[in-house]
C-alpha cells in the first residue's frame, strides 16, 4: 500500500501555518514526487473569510479577505511542473452547513465551482474536485449536498473525478480544542454501515472516490472498519482510497507527526482489505523533510525504507 | 507600517524557553537589525521568583532566585553593540496587583526602578521604561499604578520614555491554559473607549507611548478598535504604536508563529489608522531565523519580501 | 551533580515520537556519552499493545502488536558499542495495576522478565532492571508489587541492580491531558514521608536504587522534599539518584524542553542533599542536539558549559 496523494492544508483550520513561499512549495512538491506522490488535493479553497485565491464570489458574498497570494494558481503551476494531478477543494463556510442550512452552502459552492472552472479550468493539472465538507454520519441533508455538489462539479468540468474524505465517528472523534484524546464510546460498526450505505446509495452517481480518514478509531478496530468501508463502496460502485493520517491523535500536543509504526499498521490494514491506494493528511507538515516539525523528516525516511522493502 | 521594535520574552510567562546563551542572543540582535528593528523591550525584569538580573531588592524582599546570568547587563551590552534602544520592563509580582493590592506592586517596583537605574542607568542604550503590568479594563487602581510608576521612572531617569502595552478584552481574551481559542462575547467598542479614555486621561503625563496588543479581537474588528485606540491616544497626547503579535491565537497549540497573511492584515490596519510604528511580541520565538519554531524563519522571509515591496 | 543516566522513552506514553532509525539512535548515544552519560534506562518495554521487542508472552497473552523493529536488541547493541549500562523497563499494561488488580500486572511481568532474560541476558550491557510502574502514594498493593517484581528480577538475573522512579504527589501532579499546569494542594511533606517510609521498609531488599522524579513540586519545596527522600532512602539502605526532569511542566505546551535555569536549580538541590547522581527523563527529546525540539540542543550546550565550570 503506497501513499500516492496528499492534501495541501491551505486554508489550514487547526494546524499552524508554515509560512512557505513559492520556493518552499516547489521544493516540497519535489520531495513528494520522490516518494511516488502523484496527486495533491487542496483541503479547501477557503474557510470562513480566509481564501486561497482571489474569489470575486466569496469576496462579494461573504466579505472574505483578499489573499496576498493566489495559491490555486501557484499549486496548479507547480502541479504541472512536477506532473501531479491537482484536485480543487470546495469552499467551507464554517457555518452554512454545520448548523443544518445545507442549501446555502451548496448554492454558494456552485458559484465557486463555476468561477474556479472559468479561471483555472484550462490548466492541464486540474484533474478533479474534492468536496471539502467532512462528515461522519448521515446528518441533515448531507446526501443532497454531496450529490448536488458532485453533479455540479462534473457538469461544469466535463465529468472530472470527484472525491470525498469522511471520518468515522469513533472513539478518537474529539475536538482538537479539547485536551482529551479519546472517549469511551464511538459509533458501532453496524450503525456506521447503515449510515454510509444510505449515503453511498444516494451519491453513487455523483462521487467517484471515497477516502475515509483512518485516525478516529482504535488500532484494534482498523480491519473491521476498513473492510466495511471497502465493501460498501464496492457495492455502490465507488472507488476506495484510504486517507491515512500522518499526525498522531494520541498525544497531548495536537498535532505532531505520527509514529511510523502506527502509520505502517494503518497502511497494512488498508492493503489487507484491498484499498486502491493511500492518500494522506498531510505531507507538508507531517512527512516532509523541510517540515517545521523535524519528526516529519524522519517519518519520510522511515517511509522510504518501507518503499525500498516493497520492491 | 514597519516593525521597529520587539519585546524580549525574558522572564517568559508561558512561552517555552529557548535556552540561548550570549552567542545566540548576539546573533538574534543581528537578525533583528537586518529587518529594521531598533528597539528591544524587556517584557519584565522578573516574574514571581524568577529574575533577569541579580536584584538585591527582589532577592531580599520577595525571596526571588538569584539568576545564573545577568540578562539585563547582557541585553544592554548587545543593544549598545547593535545600536538598539533598550526599554527596561518592570517587575511583575504575579500577585500584588492581580488581586487588587496595587499599592504593594507599586511600592516594590519603585525600589526596583531605583536599583536598576543605579546599576544600569549609565549605559547608553538604556532609553526607556516599560510598565509591564498588562491590563484590558479600568480595573481597581490601575490608573494610580500606571501614573505612579510612570512618574517614578521619569523622575529617577531624567524623563526617559515610558511605554505600556495593554490588551483589548476581546473574543480571543482566553487563558493560554484553556483549550478554547475564542469566546462568544468580547468587550464592546463603546465600553472599551469609555474605560480607556478615563485611563488615558489619568496617565497622560506619566506615560508617553501606548502600544495596544492587536491579537485579542477578530480580524473584522481590527479597523474599528485600532481607530478608536489611535484617536483616544491622540486626544490625550499619548503616542501610538501597535503591538502586532507574531504568534497565532487561533490554533490548538498555544502558541506557534502566526500565518503571514494575518500579520500583514494587522500591519495594514495599523497603517490605515495612522499608527506611528509597530512593535511585536515577539521576534525571537516567532520571527527569528534561529527560532526553535522553524515557521518563524519563514515568517521572517515573508516579512523581508514585504519590506522590499515597500521600497 | 552530574547527569549520568537517561531514560529512553520507548514506548512513549505522551511525548510525540521522533521516528528515529538506528543511525539516529547511534548518534544520540554518542551525544549522551560526550556529556558523561553512562546509563540508559528503557522507560518501559511495552505499554498496552505497543511493544519494544517481539514478545511472545505479550503477543499471545495481551494480543500486543508485533513491533517492526526489536528496539531492545538495538539498544543493547548500541549500549555495548558506546559502553553504556542498559536497564530494562518492565511492561506496563496500563490497566492491570491502575485499577487495583496488581497481581495480574505482577504475574504477567514475571513472564516478561523470564522471557527477556532468556532472550537478552547474555548481552554484556544488560546491567539492571527498571520497575516501570510509577506511583506517588502507598496505593493498593504497591509494596507487594515492587517487592515481588524486584525479587524476581534479581532471582532470574543473578542479582542485577533494580531501580524505581516514583513521583511526588505535588502541586504539579496534573494530567498531561489537562491544560492546567498546577493545582492548589499537593501532598504534605509529612504524609509523603509516612507513605514512603512504609514503602521503603517493604521493598528494601528488592529495590537497590530510588530515583524520585523532581518535577511535581514547586521550586521552593525542592530542598525539603529531596532531603526527606534522601534521608528515608538512607535509613532503609536504598541508594538515591535524582530523576531530574528535562521538560518544562510550567508551560501550556505539554511538553517542551525545560529552561536551563530550572534544571540547574534542581541539580544543585540534589547536590545539597547528597544524592549519588542524577538521571533524567529524558535526553533524546529534551536535551539532544538532534532533538526535533531545537531548544533541547541549546540546553545541551548550557549543560556542557556547566560541566566545564565544575572542572
Amino acid at each position: 500500500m503506497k501513499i500516492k496523494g496528499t492534501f495541501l492544508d491551505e486554508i489550514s483550520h487547526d494546524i499552524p501555518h508554515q509560512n512557505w513561499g513559492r520556493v518552499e512549495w516547489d521544493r516540497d512538491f519535489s520531495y513528494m514526487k520522490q516518494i511516488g506522490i502523484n496527486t495533491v488535493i487542496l483541503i479547501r479553497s477557503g474557510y470562513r473569510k480566509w481564501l486561497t485565491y482571489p474569489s470575486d464570489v466569496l469576496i462579494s458574498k461573504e466579505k472574505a479577505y483578499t489573499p496576498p497570494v493566489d495559491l490555486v494558481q501557484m499549486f496548479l503551476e507547480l502541479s504541472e511542473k512536477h506532473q501531479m494531478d491537482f484536485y480543487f477543494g470546495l469552499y467551507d463556510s464554517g457555518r452554512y452547513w454545520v448548523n443544518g442550512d445545507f442549501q446555502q452552502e451548496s448554492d454558494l459552492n456552485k458559484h465557486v465551482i463555476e468561477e474556479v472552472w472559468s479561471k483555472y479550468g484550462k490548466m492541464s493539472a486540474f484533474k478533479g474536485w474534492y468536496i471539502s465538507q467532512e462528515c461522519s454520519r448521515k446528518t441533515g441533508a448531507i446526501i443532497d449536498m454531496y450529490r448536488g455538489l458532485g453533479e455540479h462539479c462534473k457538469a461544469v468540468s466535463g465529468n472530472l473525478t470527484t472525491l470525498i474524505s469522511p471520518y468515522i465517528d469513533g472513539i478518537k472523534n474529539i475536538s482538537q480544542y479539547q485536551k482529551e484524546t479519546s472517549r469511551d464510546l464511538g459509533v458501532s460498526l453496524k450503525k456506521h454501515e447503515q449510515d454510509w450505505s444510505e449515503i453511498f446509495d444516494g451519491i453513487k452517481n455523483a462521487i467517484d472516490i471515497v477516502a475515509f480518514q483512518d485516525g478516529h478509531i482504535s488500532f484494534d478496530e482498523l480491519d473491521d472498519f476498513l473492510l466495511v468501508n471497502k465493501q460498501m463502496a464496492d457495492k455502490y460502485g465507488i472507488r476506495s482510497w484510504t486517507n491515512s493520517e500522518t499526525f498522531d491523535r494520541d498525544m497531548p500536543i495536537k498535532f505532531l507527526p505520527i509514529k511510523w509504526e502506527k502509520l505502517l499498521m494503518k497502511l497494512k490494514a488498508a492493503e489487507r482489505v484491498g484499498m486502491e491506494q493511500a492518500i494522506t493528511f498531510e505531507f507538508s507538515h507531517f512527512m516532509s523533510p523541510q517540515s517545521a516539525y523535524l519528526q516529519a523528516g524522519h517519518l519520510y525516511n522511515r517511509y522510504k525504507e518501507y518503499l525500498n522493502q516493497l520492491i
Side-chain angles (χ1 to χ4, degrees), chain A residues 137 169-172 183-189 216 221 225:
Chain A
R137 304 287 280 266
D169 190 19
I171 57 164
K172 300 185 194 175
R183 54 180 186 170
D184 289 339
L185 278 181
V187 68
S188 70
L189 190 64
H216 294 79
E221 298 170 308
F225 275 93

Side-chain angles (χ1 to χ4, degrees), chain A residues 220-231:
Chain A
D220 283 337
E221 298 170 308
L222 274 173
D223 278 88
D224 286 347
F225 275 93
L226 266 61
L227 185 62
V228 156
N229 289 344
K230 177 65 167 61
Q231 288 173 339

Side-chain angles (χ1 to χ4, degrees), chain A residues 134-137 165-174 183 185-193 196 210-218 221-230 232 242-243 245 249 275:
Chain A
E134 297 175 16
C135 77
S136 63
R137 304 287 280 266
S165 185
Y167 56 100
I168 298 163
D169 190 19
I171 57 164
K172 300 185 194 175
N173 181 18
I174 296 283
R183 54 180 186 170
L185 278 181
V187 68
S188 70
L189 190 64
K190 190 175 163 175
K191 180 68 185 147
H192 174 75
E193 188 173 4
W196 282 97
V210 60
F212 274 101
Q213 302 170 31
D214 69 356
H216 294 79
I217 49 174
S218 83
E221 298 170 308
L222 274 173
D223 278 88
D224 286 347
F225 275 93
L226 266 61
L227 185 62
V228 156
N229 289 344
K230 177 65 167 61
M232 286 191 292
T242 187
N243 177 0
E245 297 175 344
R249 287 189 179 272
M275 295 281 181

Side-chain angles (χ1 to χ4, degrees), chain A residues 11 44 51 53 81 101 103 143 146 148 150 168 177 180 200 208 240 271 284 289 298-299:
Chain A
I11 302 300
R44 55 187 76 84
L51 300 182
Y53 75 101
K81 176 177 173 186
D101 189 357
Q103 192 58 48
I143 294 177
Y146 277 169
I168 298 163
Y177 297 101
E180 291 75 28
F200 283 176
D208 298 305
S240 280
E271 188 169 293
S284 302
H298 295 294
L299 184 59

Side-chain angles (χ1 to χ4, degrees), chain A residues 39-89:
Chain A
T39 302
V40 291
I41 305 146
L42 187 67
I43 187 77
R44 55 187 76 84
S45 50
Y47 178 63
R48 296 179 184 264
K49 298 203 172 184
W50 304 103
L51 300 182
T52 53
Y53 75 101
S55 163
D56 292 338
V57 168
L58 295 166
I59 291 167
S60 69
K61 286 185 193 290
E62 296 295 306
K63 303 199 188 313
Y65 309 131
T66 302
V69 175
D70 184 339
L71 291 170
V72 173
Q73 179 71 28
M74 186 188 77
F75 287 141
L76 279 163
E77 289 170 6
L78 293 177
S79 295
E80 291 186 351
K81 176 177 173 186
H82 295 277
Q83 297 179 284
M84 311 278 249
D85 290 351
F86 176 86
Y87 282 55
F88 179 88

